[in-house]
Amino acid sequence: MKVEVQVAGDEWVPVCGLAELTPGRGVAALLPDGRQAAVFLDRHGRTYAIGNRDPFTGAHVLSRGLLGSTGNGGSPFVASPLLKQRFDLATGRCLDDPDPEKTVPVYATRSR
């Protein structure tokens, strides 16, 4: 089974095999337009993809962050490995800074 990321309209690109993902950890994927995505598998088997660039440092490191959630059944997030800001995997919003400039892109995912 392959994990695919939606990059534009109806265009989906395969980024990795589902078996290559470890729950709670991410992988970086290079998209056709040169952007990078951070792809994650949570402990419930759901996949997520966000932009890999940390808006606070400019480094492409979010795929190396740790997954967590905002409480019992709360929103899943990834914590940047550099400055530890948390990014919501569903919205890309930074949970630690309300500045809209500090969000990351979110990509739809599917497994086929």
Side-chain angles (χ1 to χ4, degrees):
M1 215 179 236
K2 291 276 186 195
V3 176
E4 297 179 335
V5 171
Q6 187 176 21
V7 292
D10 290 336
E11 184 182 358
W12 292 83
V13 295
V15 292
C16 65
L18 185 59
E20 296 172 61
L21 294 174
T22 301
R25 300 207 173 186
V27 299
L30 184 61
L31 302 178
D33 63 1
R35 291 179 294 168
Q36 290 184 28
V39 182
F40 300 94
L41 177 68
D42 72 10
R43 298 190 193 293
H44 303 288
R46 295 176 296 224
T47 56
Y48 299 91
I50 61 172
N52 195 33
R53 183 181 172 276
D54 181 332
F56 288 89
T57 65
H60 290 85
V61 295
L62 293 181
S63 62
R64 300 184 75 164
L66 297 175
L67 292 188
S69 67
T70 57
N72 192 13
S75 299
F77 65 80
V78 63
S80 173
L82 296 179
L83 301 177
K84 310 301 183 233
Q85 284 89 358
R86 300 168 302 148
F87 297 92
D88 187 299
L89 292 176
T91 66
R93 183 177 62 85
C94 179
L95 300 175
D96 303 302
D97 190 326
D99 183 353
E101 300 271 325
K102 303 299 185 190
T103 62
V104 293
V106 174
Y107 304 97
T109 62
R110 68 182 182 190
S111 299
R112 298 182 81 169

